[in-house]
Amino acid sequence: MARHWVYGAFFATLAWIFITLVYKSGERKHYFWGGISAGLSFGATPPSALTLLSLGFLHFLKRKLVDWNLIISGASFLALALLFISLHPYGLTLGDTGNESAILANVWERLSHPGERSPFGFFGLAGNFLEILWRSDALLLIFAALGAVFFFKRDFRLGLSVFLFFVTYIFILYTFFTALPRAVLIILPLSAVLAGFGLERLLNFFRLKALLVFLVFGFALIPALRYDYLLSAADTRTLATTWIRENIPAQSKILAYLPITRLPNTKEGINKMEKIDAKSLRAADRALLKIEPEFYPKPAFEILNLHFLPGYSASPEDFQYLVLEYEKADQSDLPSGVRELVFKARLLKRFESQLEVRDEISTRFPWEFFEIQRFGPFVDIYEFR
Protein backbone atom coordinates (compact mmCIF):
# COMPACT_ATOMS: atom_id res chain seq x y z
CA MET A 1 0.00 0.00 0.00
CA ALA A 2 2.92 2.32 0.55
CA ARG A 3 4.82 1.70 -2.69
CA HIS A 4 3.94 4.95 -4.44
CA TRP A 5 4.74 6.89 -1.26
CA VAL A 6 8.26 5.45 -1.39
CA TYR A 7 8.66 6.73 -4.96
CA GLY A 8 7.29 10.10 -3.89
CA ALA A 9 9.75 10.25 -0.98
CA PHE A 10 12.66 9.37 -3.27
CA PHE A 11 11.91 12.09 -5.83
CA ALA A 12 11.04 14.65 -3.14
CA THR A 13 14.44 13.99 -1.54
CA LEU A 14 16.10 14.27 -4.96
CA ALA A 15 14.33 17.61 -5.43
CA TRP A 16 15.76 18.76 -2.10
CA ILE A 17 19.27 17.95 -3.31
CA PHE A 18 18.76 20.22 -6.32
CA ILE A 19 17.09 22.88 -4.14
CA THR A 20 20.21 22.95 -1.97
CA LEU A 21 22.37 23.25 -5.09
CA VAL A 22 20.15 26.10 -6.31
CA TYR A 23 20.62 27.82 -2.97
CA LYS A 24 24.39 27.40 -3.09
CA SER A 25 25.16 28.04 -6.78
CA GLY A 26 21.98 29.22 -8.54
CA GLU A 27 22.83 27.38 -11.77
CA ARG A 28 20.05 26.97 -14.31
CA LYS A 29 20.52 23.20 -14.64
CA HIS A 30 19.78 22.79 -10.94
CA TYR A 31 16.53 24.76 -11.33
CA PHE A 32 15.56 22.51 -14.23
CA TRP A 33 16.29 19.23 -12.45
CA GLY A 34 14.66 20.52 -9.30
CA GLY A 35 11.45 21.09 -11.27
CA ILE A 36 11.74 17.66 -12.92
CA SER A 37 12.24 15.93 -9.56
CA ALA A 38 9.27 17.78 -8.04
CA GLY A 39 7.15 16.80 -11.05
CA LEU A 40 8.08 13.13 -10.69
CA SER A 41 7.31 13.37 -6.99
CA PHE A 42 3.89 14.85 -7.85
CA GLY A 43 3.20 11.86 -10.10
CA ALA A 44 3.61 9.52 -7.12
CA THR A 45 2.06 11.62 -4.34
CA PRO A 46 0.84 15.14 -5.24
CA PRO A 47 1.43 16.78 -1.80
CA SER A 48 5.13 15.84 -1.92
CA ALA A 49 5.61 18.29 -4.82
CA LEU A 50 5.50 21.11 -2.27
CA THR A 51 9.29 20.92 -2.38
CA LEU A 52 8.92 23.37 -5.26
CA LEU A 53 7.52 25.90 -2.80
CA SER A 54 10.79 25.77 -0.87
CA LEU A 55 12.73 26.28 -4.09
CA GLY A 56 10.71 29.41 -4.84
CA PHE A 57 11.10 30.61 -1.26
CA LEU A 58 14.90 30.36 -1.40
CA HIS A 59 14.97 31.89 -4.89
CA PHE A 60 13.10 35.01 -3.78
CA LEU A 61 15.24 35.35 -0.68
CA LYS A 62 18.35 35.62 -2.87
CA ARG A 63 17.15 37.21 -6.12
CA LYS A 64 13.84 38.86 -5.20
CA LEU A 65 12.48 38.60 -8.74
CA VAL A 66 11.11 36.16 -11.29
CA ASP A 67 13.74 35.19 -13.87
CA TRP A 68 14.17 32.55 -16.53
CA ASN A 69 15.64 30.08 -14.06
CA LEU A 70 12.48 30.10 -11.96
CA ILE A 71 10.28 29.96 -15.07
CA ILE A 72 12.19 26.93 -16.38
CA SER A 73 11.86 25.19 -13.02
CA GLY A 74 8.12 25.87 -12.84
CA ALA A 75 7.53 24.90 -16.49
CA SER A 76 9.39 21.59 -16.16
CA PHE A 77 7.37 20.77 -13.06
CA LEU A 78 4.05 21.82 -14.63
CA ALA A 79 4.67 19.77 -17.79
CA LEU A 80 5.19 16.58 -15.80
CA ALA A 81 2.34 17.33 -13.40
CA LEU A 82 -0.14 17.83 -16.27
CA LEU A 83 1.13 14.67 -17.93
CA PHE A 84 0.47 12.63 -14.79
CA ILE A 85 -2.96 14.19 -14.31
CA SER A 86 -3.94 13.38 -17.91
CA LEU A 87 -2.65 9.81 -17.66
CA HIS A 88 -4.06 9.05 -14.23
CA PRO A 89 -6.60 11.57 -12.88
CA TYR A 90 -7.40 9.18 -10.00
CA GLY A 91 -3.99 10.08 -8.57
CA LEU A 92 -5.32 13.55 -7.80
CA THR A 93 -8.88 12.62 -6.90
CA LEU A 94 -10.87 9.85 -5.29
CA GLY A 95 -13.33 9.69 -8.17
CA ASP A 96 -13.72 6.78 -10.55
CA THR A 97 -11.24 7.19 -13.41
CA GLY A 98 -13.90 6.12 -15.86
CA ASN A 99 -16.48 8.56 -14.60
CA GLU A 100 -15.82 12.24 -15.29
CA SER A 101 -18.68 13.42 -13.07
CA ALA A 102 -17.29 11.43 -10.11
CA ILE A 103 -13.86 13.02 -10.58
CA LEU A 104 -15.31 16.54 -10.75
CA ALA A 105 -17.49 15.84 -7.73
CA ASN A 106 -14.46 14.73 -5.74
CA VAL A 107 -12.45 17.78 -6.78
CA TRP A 108 -15.33 20.01 -5.63
CA GLU A 109 -15.53 18.07 -2.36
CA ARG A 110 -11.82 18.66 -1.74
CA LEU A 111 -12.19 22.39 -2.43
CA SER A 112 -14.94 22.53 0.19
CA HIS A 113 -12.75 20.86 2.83
CA PRO A 114 -11.07 24.04 4.19
CA GLY A 115 -14.34 25.29 5.61
CA GLU A 116 -14.66 22.08 7.62
CA ARG A 117 -11.10 22.09 9.00
CA SER A 118 -9.84 23.56 12.24
CA PRO A 119 -6.41 24.50 13.67
CA PHE A 120 -6.86 21.78 16.29
CA GLY A 121 -7.12 19.17 13.55
CA PHE A 122 -3.96 20.45 11.91
CA PHE A 123 -1.99 20.25 15.14
CA GLY A 124 -3.54 16.85 15.79
CA LEU A 125 -2.20 15.55 12.48
CA ALA A 126 1.24 17.01 13.17
CA GLY A 127 1.17 15.33 16.57
CA ASN A 128 0.13 12.05 14.94
CA PHE A 129 3.12 12.20 12.60
CA LEU A 130 5.42 12.88 15.55
CA GLU A 131 3.91 9.92 17.38
CA ILE A 132 4.54 7.64 14.37
CA LEU A 133 8.17 8.76 14.21
CA TRP A 134 8.52 8.31 17.97
CA ARG A 135 7.14 4.78 17.84
CA SER A 136 9.09 3.71 14.76
CA ASP A 137 12.44 5.26 15.73
CA ALA A 138 12.57 7.40 18.86
CA LEU A 139 16.29 8.12 18.50
CA LEU A 140 15.78 9.42 14.96
CA LEU A 141 13.18 11.88 16.22
CA ILE A 142 15.37 12.98 19.12
CA PHE A 143 18.44 13.54 16.96
CA ALA A 144 16.33 15.19 14.22
CA ALA A 145 15.08 17.74 16.76
CA LEU A 146 18.64 18.28 17.96
CA GLY A 147 19.88 18.54 14.36
CA ALA A 148 17.18 21.10 13.53
CA VAL A 149 18.49 23.38 16.28
CA PHE A 150 22.06 23.14 15.00
CA PHE A 151 20.89 23.49 11.39
CA PHE A 152 19.01 26.72 12.09
CA LYS A 153 22.09 28.13 13.78
CA ARG A 154 24.29 27.19 10.82
CA ASP A 155 22.00 28.37 7.98
CA PHE A 156 18.78 30.04 9.08
CA ARG A 157 17.38 30.51 5.55
CA LEU A 158 17.83 26.90 4.48
CA GLY A 159 16.54 25.70 7.84
CA LEU A 160 13.49 27.92 7.48
CA SER A 161 12.77 26.48 4.01
CA VAL A 162 12.83 22.94 5.45
CA PHE A 163 10.49 23.99 8.26
CA LEU A 164 8.22 25.67 5.69
CA PHE A 165 8.05 22.41 3.72
CA PHE A 166 7.13 20.38 6.81
CA VAL A 167 4.35 22.79 7.80
CA THR A 168 2.84 23.25 4.32
CA TYR A 169 3.01 19.52 3.58
CA ILE A 170 1.03 18.66 6.72
CA PHE A 171 -1.35 21.58 6.09
CA ILE A 172 -2.13 20.51 2.50
CA LEU A 173 -2.56 16.89 3.56
CA TYR A 174 -4.97 17.88 6.29
CA THR A 175 -6.89 20.39 4.19
CA PHE A 176 -7.27 18.71 0.80
CA PHE A 177 -6.13 15.08 1.00
CA THR A 178 -6.55 11.97 3.12
CA ALA A 179 -3.90 12.03 5.83
CA LEU A 180 -2.77 8.40 6.00
CA PRO A 181 -0.05 7.27 8.43
CA ARG A 182 2.21 6.25 5.53
CA ALA A 183 2.23 9.88 4.35
CA VAL A 184 4.97 10.40 6.95
CA LEU A 185 7.33 8.64 4.49
CA ILE A 186 7.68 11.90 2.53
CA ILE A 187 9.23 13.76 5.46
CA LEU A 188 11.20 10.79 6.77
CA PRO A 189 14.34 11.28 4.56
CA LEU A 190 14.68 14.95 5.57
CA SER A 191 14.20 13.95 9.19
CA ALA A 192 17.01 11.42 8.77
CA VAL A 193 19.29 14.11 7.32
CA LEU A 194 18.57 16.38 10.29
CA ALA A 195 19.18 13.46 12.65
CA GLY A 196 22.54 12.77 11.00
CA PHE A 197 23.48 16.42 11.35
CA GLY A 198 22.51 16.35 15.01
CA LEU A 199 24.47 13.14 15.63
CA GLU A 200 27.56 14.56 13.91
CA ARG A 201 27.49 17.65 16.13
CA LEU A 202 26.88 15.60 19.26
CA LEU A 203 29.84 13.33 18.50
CA ASN A 204 32.12 16.32 19.02
CA PHE A 205 31.30 16.13 22.74
CA PHE A 206 31.98 12.39 23.18
CA ARG A 207 35.18 10.40 23.33
CA LEU A 208 33.57 7.01 22.63
CA LYS A 209 32.26 8.06 19.23
CA ALA A 210 32.12 4.54 17.78
CA LEU A 211 30.02 3.28 20.69
CA LEU A 212 27.48 6.10 20.31
CA VAL A 213 27.20 5.51 16.55
CA PHE A 214 26.76 1.75 17.16
CA LEU A 215 23.99 2.35 19.71
CA VAL A 216 22.14 4.83 17.49
CA PHE A 217 22.24 2.74 14.34
CA GLY A 218 21.84 -0.57 16.17
CA PHE A 219 18.62 0.70 17.76
CA ALA A 220 17.17 1.14 14.26
CA LEU A 221 18.97 -1.70 12.47
CA ILE A 222 17.81 -4.64 14.60
CA PRO A 223 14.03 -4.06 14.22
CA ALA A 224 14.60 -3.10 10.56
CA LEU A 225 16.18 -6.50 9.92
CA ARG A 226 13.22 -8.16 11.63
CA TYR A 227 10.82 -6.11 9.52
CA ASP A 228 12.70 -7.07 6.34
CA TYR A 229 12.43 -10.72 7.37
CA LEU A 230 8.67 -10.38 7.82
CA LEU A 231 8.37 -8.70 4.41
CA SER A 232 10.31 -11.52 2.73
CA ALA A 233 8.45 -14.30 4.58
CA ALA A 234 5.29 -15.79 3.11
CA ASP A 235 2.24 -13.86 4.31
CA THR A 236 -1.16 -15.38 5.08
CA ARG A 237 -2.39 -14.86 1.51
CA THR A 238 0.57 -16.76 0.07
CA LEU A 239 0.16 -19.61 2.58
CA ALA A 240 -3.56 -19.83 1.86
CA THR A 241 -3.01 -19.88 -1.91
CA THR A 242 -0.46 -22.69 -1.55
CA TRP A 243 -2.80 -24.70 0.69
CA ILE A 244 -5.68 -24.35 -1.76
CA ARG A 245 -3.53 -25.47 -4.67
CA GLU A 246 -2.39 -28.55 -2.74
CA ASN A 247 -5.67 -29.57 -1.08
CA ILE A 248 -8.56 -28.52 -3.32
CA PRO A 249 -9.06 -30.32 -6.65
CA ALA A 250 -8.60 -28.33 -9.83
CA GLN A 251 -11.78 -27.04 -11.51
CA SER A 252 -13.58 -26.98 -8.13
CA LYS A 253 -16.28 -24.34 -7.81
CA ILE A 254 -15.28 -21.72 -5.24
CA LEU A 255 -17.39 -18.89 -3.90
CA ALA A 256 -14.99 -16.24 -2.64
CA TYR A 257 -14.60 -12.81 -1.13
CA LEU A 258 -11.01 -11.92 -1.98
CA PRO A 259 -10.08 -8.21 -2.28
CA ILE A 260 -6.38 -8.90 -2.91
CA THR A 261 -5.65 -12.63 -2.85
CA ARG A 262 -5.43 -13.98 -6.38
CA LEU A 263 -6.33 -17.53 -7.44
CA PRO A 264 -6.30 -18.62 -11.11
CA ASN A 265 -9.88 -18.57 -12.36
CA THR A 266 -10.99 -20.85 -15.16
CA LYS A 267 -12.25 -19.30 -18.38
CA GLU A 268 -15.72 -20.54 -17.45
CA GLY A 269 -15.53 -18.73 -14.12
CA ILE A 270 -14.29 -15.53 -15.75
CA ASN A 271 -17.06 -15.64 -18.35
CA LYS A 272 -19.69 -16.07 -15.63
CA MET A 273 -18.40 -13.03 -13.76
CA GLU A 274 -18.35 -11.01 -16.97
CA LYS A 275 -21.94 -12.06 -17.69
CA ILE A 276 -23.03 -10.84 -14.26
CA ASP A 277 -21.06 -7.59 -14.45
CA ALA A 278 -18.42 -6.83 -17.07
CA LYS A 279 -16.81 -4.27 -14.73
CA SER A 280 -16.02 -7.04 -12.25
CA LEU A 281 -13.15 -8.36 -14.38
CA ARG A 282 -9.58 -7.33 -13.57
CA ALA A 283 -6.84 -6.92 -16.16
CA ALA A 284 -5.44 -10.30 -15.08
CA ASP A 285 -8.80 -11.94 -15.81
CA ARG A 286 -8.95 -10.51 -19.31
CA ALA A 287 -5.39 -11.64 -19.93
CA LEU A 288 -6.29 -15.21 -18.92
CA LEU A 289 -9.08 -15.28 -21.52
CA LYS A 290 -6.45 -14.86 -24.23
CA ILE A 291 -4.09 -17.61 -23.02
CA GLU A 292 -3.92 -20.90 -24.92
CA PRO A 293 -4.93 -24.03 -22.92
CA GLU A 294 -1.39 -25.44 -22.84
CA PHE A 295 -0.08 -22.27 -21.19
CA TYR A 296 -2.97 -21.75 -18.78
CA PRO A 297 -1.94 -21.64 -15.08
CA LYS A 298 -2.61 -24.86 -13.20
CA PRO A 299 -4.43 -25.71 -11.07
CA ALA A 300 -7.24 -23.31 -11.91
CA PHE A 301 -10.60 -23.08 -10.13
CA GLU A 302 -14.03 -21.86 -11.14
CA ILE A 303 -14.27 -18.81 -8.87
CA LEU A 304 -17.02 -16.30 -8.26
CA ASN A 305 -15.40 -13.43 -6.36
CA LEU A 306 -18.14 -11.50 -4.55
CA HIS A 307 -15.75 -8.66 -3.69
CA PHE A 308 -15.99 -7.48 -7.29
CA LEU A 309 -19.75 -8.13 -7.45
CA PRO A 310 -21.15 -5.91 -4.65
CA GLY A 311 -24.77 -6.63 -3.90
CA TYR A 312 -24.84 -9.89 -5.87
CA SER A 313 -26.40 -12.84 -4.05
CA ALA A 314 -25.03 -16.30 -4.91
CA SER A 315 -26.51 -19.64 -3.94
CA PRO A 316 -24.14 -21.83 -1.88
CA GLU A 317 -25.67 -24.95 -3.46
CA ASP A 318 -23.87 -24.08 -6.71
CA PHE A 319 -20.41 -24.16 -5.08
CA GLN A 320 -18.21 -26.61 -3.21
CA TYR A 321 -15.93 -24.27 -1.29
CA LEU A 322 -15.93 -20.82 0.29
CA VAL A 323 -12.77 -18.69 0.66
CA LEU A 324 -12.82 -15.42 2.62
CA GLU A 325 -10.21 -12.71 3.15
CA TYR A 326 -10.83 -10.19 5.93
CA GLU A 327 -8.93 -8.02 8.38
CA LYS A 328 -10.94 -7.94 11.61
CA ALA A 329 -11.17 -10.99 13.86
CA ASP A 330 -14.96 -10.64 14.22
CA GLN A 331 -15.35 -10.48 10.39
CA SER A 332 -17.15 -7.15 10.76
CA ASP A 333 -15.38 -5.82 7.65
CA LEU A 334 -17.16 -8.46 5.53
CA PRO A 335 -20.57 -7.65 3.98
CA SER A 336 -23.41 -9.11 6.04
CA GLY A 337 -24.51 -11.39 3.21
CA VAL A 338 -21.03 -12.87 2.96
CA ARG A 339 -20.81 -13.43 6.74
CA GLU A 340 -24.05 -15.42 6.63
CA LEU A 341 -22.48 -17.91 4.21
CA VAL A 342 -20.15 -19.09 6.99
CA PHE A 343 -23.07 -20.74 8.83
CA LYS A 344 -23.67 -22.97 5.80
CA ALA A 345 -20.08 -24.23 5.60
CA ARG A 346 -17.49 -26.20 7.56
CA LEU A 347 -14.12 -24.57 8.31
CA LEU A 348 -11.24 -26.46 6.73
CA LYS A 349 -8.33 -24.10 7.36
CA ARG A 350 -7.73 -20.67 8.85
CA PHE A 351 -4.63 -18.53 8.42
CA GLU A 352 -4.54 -16.11 11.32
CA SER A 353 -3.77 -12.41 11.02
CA GLN A 354 -1.73 -10.63 13.68
CA LEU A 355 -2.51 -7.14 12.36
CA GLU A 356 -6.22 -6.46 12.18
CA VAL A 357 -6.03 -3.34 10.00
CA ARG A 358 -3.50 -2.26 7.41
CA ASP A 359 -2.32 0.88 9.18
CA GLU A 360 -2.05 -0.71 12.62
CA ILE A 361 1.65 -1.29 12.00
CA SER A 362 2.20 2.47 12.37
CA THR A 363 1.04 2.24 16.00
CA ARG A 364 3.56 -0.43 17.00
CA PHE A 365 6.91 0.00 18.66
CA PRO A 366 9.93 -1.61 16.91
CA TRP A 367 10.33 -4.42 19.44
CA GLU A 368 6.75 -5.54 18.81
CA PHE A 369 7.82 -6.82 15.37
CA PHE A 370 9.39 -9.75 17.20
CA GLU A 371 5.93 -10.79 18.42
CA ILE A 372 4.64 -11.02 14.83
CA GLN A 373 5.23 -14.20 12.87
CA ARG A 374 3.89 -13.06 9.52
CA PHE A 375 1.97 -10.29 7.78
CA GLY A 376 -1.36 -10.58 6.01
CA PRO A 377 -5.11 -10.65 6.76
CA PHE A 378 -7.24 -13.54 7.95
CA VAL A 379 -7.90 -16.07 5.21
CA ASP A 380 -10.51 -18.77 5.86
CA ILE A 381 -11.20 -21.80 3.67
CA TYR A 382 -14.56 -23.54 4.11
CA GLU A 383 -16.36 -26.48 2.53
CA PHE A 384 -20.09 -26.11 1.97
CA ARG A 385 -22.15 -28.73 3.79
Side-chain angles (χ1 to χ4, degrees):
M1 298 296 292
R3 284 177 295 183
H4 65 289
W5 290 95
V6 174
Y7 300 145
F10 172 80
F11 288 116
T13 306
L14 189 62
W16 267 107
I17 293 174
F18 289 113
I19 289 170
T20 305
L21 292 172
V22 163
Y23 178 65
K24 296 297 182 182
S25 67
E27 293 185 33
R28 179 166 296 178
K29 62 181 180 181
H30 297 147
Y31 277 90
F32 172 75
W33 288 113
I36 291 293
S37 300
L40 292 171
S41 177
F42 177 90
T45 52
S48 64
L50 286 167
T51 50
L52 204 66
L53 182 65
S54 296
L55 187 151
F57 174 74
L58 290 172
H59 172 87
F60 285 114
L61 280 180
K62 294 189 72 174
R63 303 199 177 192
K64 300 181 180 179
L65 50 84
V66 175
D67 60 13
W68 278 108
N69 289 337
L70 192 63
I71 292 173
I72 288 172
S73 179
S76 59
F77 162 76
L78 190 61
L80 278 176
L82 291 175
L83 175 63
F84 283 119
I85 291 173
S86 63
L87 291 176
H88 189 47
Y90 180 80
L92 194 60
T93 76
L94 296 178
D96 185 349
T97 54
N99 189 332
E100 183 178 349
S101 61
I103 293 174
L104 293 175
N106 183 254
V107 170
W108 178 253
E109 181 186 353
R110 287 177 186 272
L111 292 176
S112 66
H113 280 180
E116 305 166 4
R117 303 311 195 202
S118 72
F120 299 103
F122 167 77
F123 288 114
L125 177 59
N128 184 41
F129 277 11
L130 288 174
E131 182 183 2
I132 292 172
L133 289 173
W134 175 258
R135 287 179 178 272
S136 60
D137 195 338
L139 286 180
L140 182 142
L141 183 59
I142 292 171
F143 280 103
L146 184 64
V149 174
F150 287 126
F151 196 69
F152 266 97
K153 291 180 66 176
R154 178 175 177 175
D155 195 321
F156 180 78
R157 290 181 173 184
L158 193 56
L160 187 60
S161 69
V162 173
F163 178 75
L164 177 67
F165 171 70
F166 283 166
V167 172
T168 53
Y169 174 70
I170 296 173
F171 175 78
I172 293 297
L173 268 181
Y174 174 68
T175 307
F176 296 105
F177 291 86
T178 303
L180 301 171
R182 51 185 172 269
V184 77
L185 287 171
I186 302 299
I187 62 177
L188 190 59
L190 272 182
S191 301
V193 171
L194 290 175
F197 190 71
L199 177 60
E200 185 270 334
R201 288 304 178 95
L202 192 63
L203 286 175
N204 295 329
F205 301 98
F206 283 84
R207 291 183 178 180
L208 300 176
K209 294 180 172 60
L211 178 60
L212 180 60
V213 171
F214 175 79
L215 290 174
V216 170
F217 284 94
F219 183 81
L221 179 61
I222 294 173
L225 291 175
R226 175 62 180 176
Y227 184 70
D228 287 343
Y229 165 77
L230 291 172
L231 286 177
S232 61
D235 67 2
T236 54
R237 297 185 187 97
T238 303
L239 294 176
T241 300
T242 301
W243 192 92
I244 291 171
R245 289 173 180 271
E246 294 175 352
N247 294 277
I248 293 182
Q251 308 297 317
S252 295
K253 294 185 176 182
I254 299 177
L255 186 60
Y257 187 87
L258 300 173
I260 297 178
T261 303
R262 298 293 301 176
L263 287 169
N265 202 349
T266 61
K267 292 189 177 183
E268 292 78 8
I270 296 173
N271 287 328
K272 284 184 179 180
M273 287 194 64
E274 184 177 29
K275 187 176 181 180
I276 297 170
D277 185 356
K279 294 181 180 179
S280 68
L281 297 192
R282 308 296 92 187
D285 297 323
R286 298 188 185 280
L288 286 175
L289 290 175
K290 301 176 183 179
I291 295 179
E292 297 297 327
E294 59 267 27
F295 300 113
Y296 209 86
K298 298 178 182 178
F301 311 93
E302 188 173 320
I303 303 168
L304 189 71
N305 193 344
L306 296 177
H307 174 73
F308 299 112
L309 296 167
Y312 182 77
S313 179
S315 173
E317 289 77 16
D318 298 331
F319 300 89
Q320 300 160 279
Y321 299 93
L322 173 68
V323 181
L324 304 178
E325 174 191 328
Y326 55 96
E327 294 180 346
K328 297 187 177 181
D330 60 0
Q331 297 185 338
S332 59
D333 53 322
L334 289 173
S336 58
V338 174
R339 288 201 304 271
E340 292 174 2
L341 294 171
V342 171
F343 300 106
K344 303 176 182 179
R346 176 175 63 92
L347 181 66
L348 296 178
K349 186 71 175 179
R350 168 171 291 165
F351 295 90
E352 297 275 353
S353 171
Q354 294 170 314
L355 290 171
E356 284 197 356
V357 293
R358 294 172 186 171
D359 288 325
E360 186 184 345
I361 195 170
S362 66
T363 67
R364 292 182 176 255
F365 288 102
W367 56 82
E368 294 184 85
F369 288 133
F370 293 91
E371 302 172 3
I372 301 172
Q373 300 304 314
R374 64 180 60 87
F375 289 143
F378 290 92
V379 182
D380 291 353
I381 303 159
Y382 299 84
E383 183 178 22
F384 282 115
R385 294 173 178 144

